[in-house]
Amino acid sequence: MASLNVGNLGEYLREQRRAAQLSLRQLADAAGVSNPYLSQIERGLRKPSADVLQQVAKALRISAETLYVRAGILDEREREELETRAVILADPSINERQKNVLLQIYDSFRRENGFVPETDGTDEADGRPPADGRPGADGRPGTDDAVGADPTLKADARKDDNPHS
């Protein structure tokens, strides 16, 4: 079987597995894939799907996006954006509303710097429709300012503007 051009994915996986002090069999079991299949991936004989890469990344406790880049599924810029979003969404010290606001600010800065995020009309943070559904200044629902779709923050901002409250 000829080696496929999947970057250095197999070598990288082997290094990560060894760093985690896992045998090939242990990683295969943890990732829910067969031992021979994982061996073929490490040797560059098979190109795994994004789902398999995600399972392996989870078992190794590493970024799936890093594996996607190494496998040629994502380019480096997409990976960086996804990792930034993943870190924000995984932060246990802020609540869901704050995460959404932070992601809206992040998108705003990226647009300002010429990196226009692709949108599908949903809230990028969780795939759900934006909270208020009203179009913002940029024409997208719920993104009219850094405060975004959170009516409580807008109400708080109005209170601050009114010295008599």
Side-chain angles (χ1 to χ4, degrees):
M1 207 181 251
S3 186
L4 297 175
N5 183 12
V6 288
N8 53 359
L9 173 66
E11 183 179 312
Y12 180 76
L13 279 176
R14 184 178 295 116
E15 289 171 9
Q16 295 300 310
R17 177 176 57 78
R18 288 179 177 161
Q21 298 181 334
L22 293 172
S23 70
L24 192 63
R25 184 173 309 276
Q26 289 170 320
L27 179 57
D29 288 343
V33 298
S34 75
N35 188 34
Y37 182 62
L38 186 57
S39 175
Q40 290 173 346
I41 293 169
E42 280 194 1
R43 291 181 289 141
L45 302 176
R46 296 275 183 171
K47 183 174 181 178
S49 69
D51 288 338
V52 169
L53 289 174
Q54 185 174 24
Q55 291 169 247
V56 170
K58 187 176 180 181
L60 287 170
R61 297 182 181 200
I62 62 174
S63 163
E65 288 79 12
T66 300
L67 296 184
Y68 296 160
V69 169
R70 297 219 178 230
I73 296 171
L74 275 181
D75 71 19
E76 187 69 22
R77 215 177 334 181
E78 290 171 337
R79 180 189 68 85
E80 290 170 358
E81 179 187 354
L82 288 172
E83 285 184 347
T84 301
R85 290 177 176 286
V87 168
I88 291 169
L89 291 170
D91 189 335
S93 67
I94 59 177
N95 65 39
E96 293 304 311
R97 179 187 56 78
Q98 292 166 330
K99 291 174 186 180
N100 286 331
V101 170
L102 191 52
L103 287 170
Q104 289 173 1
I105 293 168
Y106 175 69
D107 284 342
S108 172
F109 285 149
R110 286 181 52 81
R111 280 191 303 275
E112 184 178 308
N113 293 331
F115 296 98
V116 180
E118 293 186 24
T119 62
D120 60 1
T122 61
D123 185 338
E124 295 86 359
D126 59 13
R128 292 180 301 184
D132 68 357
R134 291 177 294 152
D138 62 358
R140 291 177 37 225
T143 59
D144 55 336
D145 55 30
V147 174
D150 188 341
T152 58
L153 288 179
K154 291 178 185 176
D156 290 343
R158 285 192 297 269
K159 283 182 200 170
D160 292 342
D161 292 340
N162 184 356
H164 302 293
S165 26

